[in-house]
Structure formats: structure tokens, C-alpha cells
């Protein structure tokens, strides 16, 4: 088992990373909010395979939670996370305090925003969320200066926004997206799954099944995308979930897809009880 170095303070972390860089080591970053599951560990494994040094961050970022969201009760399992990261051969864990990341408080003067993309889909229901994500991820990129950074495709809009931010700000790193890991029911792994009651969990399995059904309808030649979205929303509501949105999108713009688009993604968000779940599926139309 690797001896993982744990840092909660910036100067020591910076000195350690500078030494790695001096020796020409490539650095892979896996940013997380902790309560790690197999999906996070798959990101760490991918970083491990591609980089000399793997650094995971655990920071529950207050800036990306709305006033009525679950910041206070967000699941934290630090001791188990450390064990899992050690077993995954992670080299460095950076778990800063809120004061270290936001020394002047969380009403920050400088925010990173990818405005148009941030307003779509999840951004409509969670205003400010993606500004919080982009701001903290940009900070982590500045602090760590990794060569590669790894994110899950489950949060596809987040992945897309971060890739756009990196390209727009000309940050010299490569962003990688990793396939979603699922329970045998199809439910995408998420730190928030711990909130689900047995009934919610059973209902939640319908989310991916419905996305698969919609994908099959598209691949079967049905191209009235708005009608497919409405049907999927109806199915989800019928099984006891509450649909926030189902959107069939062009995968490279994340705008609603129209006839002629071939590389698609169906993005969806639902509530299972009070828990908000998101998922997606890629769909390729061959002409
Ligand atoms: O996906 C997450 O866990 C968070 O949004 C991230 C990227 C770590 C930023 O806080």
C-alpha cells in the first residue's frame, strides 16, 4: 500500500508539488467533495494509469450550494476516504479548510463563470451552482497546476463547462471524462445516494432505464425529440419520481438537439423524495 501524503495547508503542498515538477513528474488531479465511492476510485485508477503522481482533493465547496441545498448535511466520511485512497495508490490528498480556499470569506470578489452554459439544464434549477464549481476548480487548477484532471461523465454538464473554461482561459492541462459507474439496478453511483430511502432507491432505478428507452426510440428512427422528452418525463413521474428536466441535446454544444444532429446526449434530473439525482446517456445517430 502506498504511503499517501496528506496536506491541509497550501505552502507545504506547493513545495511538495514543486519538487515533483522539478523531477519532471506528470501530475494527475482528481477533484472531489469526498464521501468517495467506486466512481471516484475509478477516476483515481485512471489518473494512476496515466500520471506519475496522483493527487485527490476533498473539499465540500460552499460556493456551489444554493441557500436551501444540502451543504450542512452533505455526507462526509473522511476516515474511510483516506483508507480508500491509500488502497487506490493515490500519492497525495489535499483536504483544505474553507478558510484556506476562501481566506476572505465565501462572498468572493472574483468568480469564474461560463455564463451561457451555466444557465442551461441544471443551472436553471440551481442558479449560481456552476459559477461555484468553476471558481473552485479554477482555484484548484491554479494551486496544483496538474498536467491532467479527471471528472466523471455523470456530471456531464459540469465536465463540459470545465472543459470549456480550460479552453477559454488557456489553462495548460488536459481534461478527461470517465464513464459513469452504476449499481446493478442501473442507478448511477453518487455521494448523494446515501440520502435515498428504500422506496426512493427502487424508484430511482427508473431514471437510467427511462434514458435507455429514450435512446432506443431515437436510434429506432424517432426524431421528434421534444415528444420523446415529454414521454420520458411522464414515465419518470408515473414511477414516483419528480422530473426536473429531460433534455435531448447536441453533445458538443449542450443545446437542445434538432433534426440533423447526430452526436447526442440525453441529460436528466429528477427528485427521488427530496434527493435530486442526475444522469445521462450518449446517443449516436448513424445516417
Ligand atoms: O463533482 C464534484 O464533486 C464537485 O462539483 C467538484 C468538481 C469537486 C467541485 O467542487
Amino acid at each position: 500500500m502506498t504511503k499517501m501524503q496528506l496536506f491541509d495547508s497550501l505552502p507545504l503542498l506547493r513545495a511538495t508539488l514543486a519538487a515533483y515538477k522539478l523531477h519532471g513528474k506528470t501530475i494527475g488531479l482528481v477533484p472531489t467533495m469526498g464521501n468517495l465511492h467506486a466512481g471516484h476510485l475509478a477516476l483515481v485508477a485512471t489518473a494512476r494509469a496515466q500520471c506519475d503522481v496522483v493527487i485527490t482533493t476533498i473539499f465540500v465547496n460552499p460556493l456551489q450550494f444554493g441557500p436551501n441545498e444540502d451543504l450542512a448535511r452533505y455526507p462526509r466520511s473522511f476516515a474511510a476516504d483516506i483508507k480508500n485512497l491509500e488502497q487506490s495508490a493515490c500519492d497525495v490528498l489535499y483536504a483544505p479548510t474553507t478558510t484556506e480556499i476562501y481566506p476572505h470569506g465565501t462572498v468572493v470578489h472574483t468568480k469564474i463563470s461560463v455564463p451561457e452554459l451555466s444557465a442551461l439544464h441544471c443551472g436553471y434549477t440551481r442558479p449560481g451552482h456552476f459559477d461555484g464549481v468553476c471558481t473552485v476548480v479554477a482555484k484548484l487548477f491554479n494551486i496544483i497546476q496538474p498536467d491532467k484532471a479527471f471528472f466523471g461523465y455523470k456530471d456531464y454538464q459540469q465536465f463540459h463547462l470545465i472543459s470549456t473554461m480550460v479552453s477559454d482561459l488557456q489553462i495548460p492541462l488536459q481534461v478527461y471524462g470517465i464513464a459513469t459507474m452504476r449499481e446493478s439496478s442501473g442507478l448511477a453511483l453518487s455521494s448523494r445516494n446515501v440520502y435515498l430511502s428504500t422506496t426512493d432507491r427502487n424508484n430511482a432505478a427508473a431514471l437510467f432505464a427511462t434514458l435507455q428507452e429514450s435512446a432506443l426510440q431515437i436510434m429506432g428512427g424517432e426524431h421528434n425529440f421534444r415528444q420523446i422528452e415529454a414521454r420520458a418525463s411522464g414515465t419518470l413521474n408515473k414511477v414516483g419520481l419528480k422530473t426536473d428536466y429531460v433534455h435531448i441535446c447536441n453533445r458538443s454544444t449542450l443545446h437542445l438537439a434538432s433534426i440533423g444532429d447526430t452526436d447526442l446526449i440525453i441529460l436528466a434530473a429528477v427528485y427521488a423524495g427530496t434527493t435530486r439525482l442526475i444522469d445521462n446517456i450518449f446517443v449516436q445517430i448513424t445516417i
Side-chain angles (χ1 to χ4, degrees):
M1 200 185 291
T2 326
K3 182 89 192 91
M4 184 172 68
Q5 290 178 281
L6 170 57
F7 296 95
D8 59 4
S9 109
L10 204 46
L12 229 54
L13 172 74
R14 279 207 159 119
T16 303
L17 293 176
Y20 281 131
K21 280 176 192 282
L22 201 66
H23 289 94
K25 305 282 188 201
T26 54
I27 296 182
L29 170 64
V30 180
T32 81
M33 297 206 298
N35 195 33
L36 304 179
H37 51 65
H40 294 113
L41 300 179
L43 300 180
V44 174
T46 309
R48 180 72 287 157
Q50 293 195 23
C51 305
D52 298 321
V53 179
V54 177
I55 167 158
T56 301
T57 59
I58 295 182
F59 178 64
V60 181
N61 172 35
L63 226 59
Q64 69 188 74
F65 289 78
N68 300 317
E69 293 185 350
D70 55 344
L71 173 62
R73 67 176 189 126
Y74 191 82
R76 287 155 169 93
S77 55
F78 197 57
D81 291 348
I82 290 181
K83 218 172 177 179
N84 279 324
L85 289 172
E86 280 174 343
Q87 279 168 356
S88 306
C90 178
D91 299 298
V92 175
L93 168 61
Y94 177 49
T97 59
T98 305
T99 317
E100 173 138 296
I101 295 293
Y102 299 114
H104 310 297
T106 50
V107 183
V108 292
H109 294 296
T110 305
K111 270 191 194 164
I112 306 291
S113 184
V114 185
E116 193 236 343
L117 274 172
S118 291
L120 303 173
H121 316 303
C122 285
Y124 186 76
T125 318
R126 304 185 69 191
H129 167 69
F130 287 119
D131 289 356
V133 170
C134 287
T135 302
V136 81
V137 171
K139 275 170 162 284
L140 293 172
F141 286 169
N142 274 335
I143 291 169
I144 292 156
Q145 304 193 355
D147 299 284
K148 300 181 180 191
F150 300 85
F151 297 88
Y153 274 155
K154 183 181 75 70
D155 301 288
Y156 194 83
Q157 188 177 2
Q158 167 175 284
F159 165 76
H160 197 281
L161 271 149
I162 290 168
S163 304
T164 305
M165 172 186 84
V166 163
S167 161
D168 285 351
L169 297 180
Q170 296 164 299
I171 304 176
L173 69 89
Q174 286 172 286
V175 178
Y176 290 85
I178 308 296
T180 303
M181 292 198 69
R182 303 181 178 282
E183 295 186 356
S184 54
S185 69
L187 176 65
L189 298 192
S190 161
S191 299
R192 288 190 167 99
N193 288 355
V194 297
Y195 297 149
L196 297 171
S197 67
T198 309
T199 310
D200 293 340
R201 188 173 281 273
N202 290 338
N203 293 345
L207 177 54
F208 189 56
T210 305
L211 290 177
Q212 286 177 305
E213 240 171 67
S214 300
L216 283 175
Q217 288 160 9
I218 296 169
M219 290 189 295
E222 202 177 330
H223 291 163
N224 187 333
F225 298 138
R226 305 296 84 81
Q227 209 165 71
I228 297 170
E229 290 165 354
R231 201 158 48 226
S233 299
T235 306
L236 293 167
N237 291 336
K238 247 188 240 148
V239 298
L241 299 168
K242 186 168 162 280
T243 307
D244 181 3
Y245 67 82
V246 177
H247 289 159
I248 301 171
C249 301
N250 175 310
R251 189 146 73 91
S252 43
T253 62
L254 290 197
H255 291 169
L256 291 182
S258 39
I259 299 291
D261 288 335
T262 52
D263 198 4
L264 309 178
I265 183 167
I266 314 177
L267 301 169
V270 297
Y271 292 89
T274 54
T275 306
R276 192 168 187 281
L277 300 173
I278 58 173
D279 205 346
N280 63 71
I281 191 167
F282 293 1
V283 190
Q284 190 74 43
I285 304 181
T286 42
I287 307 173

